Amino acid sequence: MIFFNKDEQLENIGNGILDATWAEFPTLARNQIALTWVVYDPPVLVNTGGALTPKAFWDHPVRGFTYRGVERIYPASIVKLFYLVAVNEWLEKGMTQTSKELERALRDMIVDSSNDATSLVVDILSGTTSGPELPIGPFETWKYQRNIINRYYQSLGWEEMETINVCQKTWGDGPYGRERAFVGELLENRNMLTTNAIARLLHSIVGGVAVSSVRSQAMMALLKRPLNDLPTDTEENQVTGFLGGGLTKNAQIWSKAGWTSQVRHDAAYIELPEQRPYLLVVFTEGKAQAKSQAILPFVSNLVAEAIASL
């Protein structure tokens, strides 16, 4: 069972938003966008500072809309959200210890989307390191270790996690040595996520039930994006050209973006003054879409307008 309920109102609005997006961006193909949108109707049970038990939270129904939400797509830096939750689980269970370096890496991985920081986080999660190619035996052990993050997400028993792959580091220039061998000759083992899987993970963080309420709040603090006083480096602020770029300055957003020369994605939890809060994950694929700083803000703006009409 998917974690949200579909309903006619959101289906109509969601399809209308997609139609408007295709009309505005004719080069955007039907199979180059994927989207999951979850609306929090009153009584709102998210961002409460962990006031609910996990059972009460998961039993509470929410409405949503999805388009191609089960398609496996390369997530770029959005995978860092999955590493953030996994590290907090490891820390909670005593499988690793916190340190100044780990705290610094977690912050830089989420706030600045640092690939170097992510490399350390994946090493800590898996007890492996990058380096030259390995002989077959040791490499099998290394691969098993690296898949520990996948095993963790499988263990949650969430339908949305059944098809994902989260075991690769994120790169500037790409992998070398054992990392290149691990990703596969045709990149067949690269990270893959769906917008539904991301929405469910973000839903659990915002709901205060990812690992623990205290850890969920700490993760939320890292995901908060200022819409005022944006850093001048617009390529790296994860707002300009992303979902935050379509919001008014009095909105609040918690998000993690991902982009390469081939994809531009964002996943966000958004609060508008006097409106229902909502969660929105939008993936776009293709060179033209990856370059476009207009598509994600356009979709985000239409969703914000739609929320006001609910």
Side-chain angles (χ1 to χ4, degrees):
M1 279 290 292
I2 195 162
F3 76 96
F4 56 84
N5 301 323
K6 297 180 180 183
D7 77 348
E8 195 176 357
Q9 184 189 33
L10 293 187
E11 290 291 317
N12 291 337
I13 295 171
N15 286 320
I17 287 169
L18 285 166
D19 288 340
T21 304
W22 287 315
E24 182 75 14
F25 303 98
T27 59
L28 178 68
R30 294 293 192 272
N31 66 348
Q32 287 181 316
I33 185 167
L35 180 154
T36 302
W37 174 35
V38 176
V39 176
Y40 297 110
D41 297 306
V44 175
L45 299 186
V46 291
N47 210 6
T48 59
L52 290 185
T53 65
K55 180 168 179 2
F57 177 73
W58 290 115
D59 284 349
H60 183 75
V62 289
R63 290 192 295 160
F65 166 79
T66 182
Y67 174 75
R68 299 181 71 243
V70 296
E71 295 294 328
R72 298 174 82 243
I73 297 168
Y74 178 69
S77 289
I78 290 189
V79 74
K80 294 165 184 173
L81 202 54
F82 285 71
Y83 299 157
L84 173 68
V85 173
V87 161
N88 276 281
E89 176 73 22
W90 272 222
L91 290 165
E92 187 74 9
K93 295 278 196 299
M95 290 161 64
T96 192
Q97 303 305 312
T98 193
S99 67
K100 274 206 170 124
E101 274 304 275
L102 178 54
E103 294 297 325
R104 183 170 78 97
L106 286 176
R107 186 206 161 275
D108 292 352
M109 175 175 80
I110 299 300
V111 177
D112 304 325
S113 207
S114 162
N115 291 333
D116 293 348
T118 307
S119 181
L120 176 70
V121 171
V122 172
D123 286 346
I124 288 171
L125 280 168
S126 61
T128 62
T129 52
S130 304
E133 290 175 80
L134 290 164
I136 291 170
F139 190 42
E140 286 304 312
T141 305
W142 186 94
K143 288 193 288 191
Y144 181 79
Q145 285 283 110
R146 269 294 270 279
N147 276 304
I148 191 171
I149 309 158
N150 278 323
R151 291 194 294 278
Y152 164 61
Y153 283 106
Q154 297 295 324
S155 77
L156 297 178
W158 297 351
E159 177 188 305
E160 295 88 353
M161 300 296 165
E162 284 170 10
T163 62
I164 71 169
N165 190 39
V166 288
C167 60
Q168 301 290 346
K169 295 185 173 184
T170 51
W171 302 100
D173 298 328
Y176 291 86
R178 67 190 68 161
E179 298 284 355
R180 183 66 189 80
F182 184 50
V183 81
E185 194 63 41
L186 304 171
L187 308 182
E188 62 271 19
N189 192 36
R190 68 184 185 161
N191 289 332
M192 295 299 254
L193 285 170
T194 68
T195 58
N196 284 356
I198 295 157
R200 179 145 195 186
L201 190 69
L202 192 52
H203 177 65
S204 74
I205 298 170
V206 179
V209 298
V211 185
S212 71
S213 63
V214 171
R215 291 194 179 278
S216 289
Q217 287 174 76
M219 291 187 257
M220 286 288 280
L222 291 176
L223 293 165
K224 187 86 165 69
R225 307 265 166 216
L227 293 177
N228 303 307
D229 306 326
L230 282 174
T232 45
D233 183 358
T234 57
E235 259 313 294
E236 301 289 340
N237 66 33
Q238 299 185 69
V239 171
T240 308
F242 296 97
L243 296 176
L247 300 173
T248 51
K249 293 279 186 267
N250 60 356
Q252 294 197 81
I253 181 170
W254 292 257
S255 70
K256 182 71 199 79
W259 66 100
T260 66
S261 60
Q262 301 291 334
V263 300
R264 181 178 284 261
H265 308 321
D266 203 3
Y269 166 72
I270 294 164
E271 293 182 353
L272 307 174
E274 310 301 316
Q275 305 291 349
R276 291 167 164 81
Y278 60 97
L279 193 154
L280 182 62
V281 184
V282 185
F283 273 23
T284 59
E285 295 184 273
K287 275 205 162 94
Q289 284 62 253
K291 279 200 186 79
S292 171
Q293 292 210 346
I295 300 174
L296 293 182
F298 180 84
V299 173
S300 181
N301 180 252
L302 290 183
V303 172
E305 285 176 2
I307 282 287
S309 72
L310 289 181

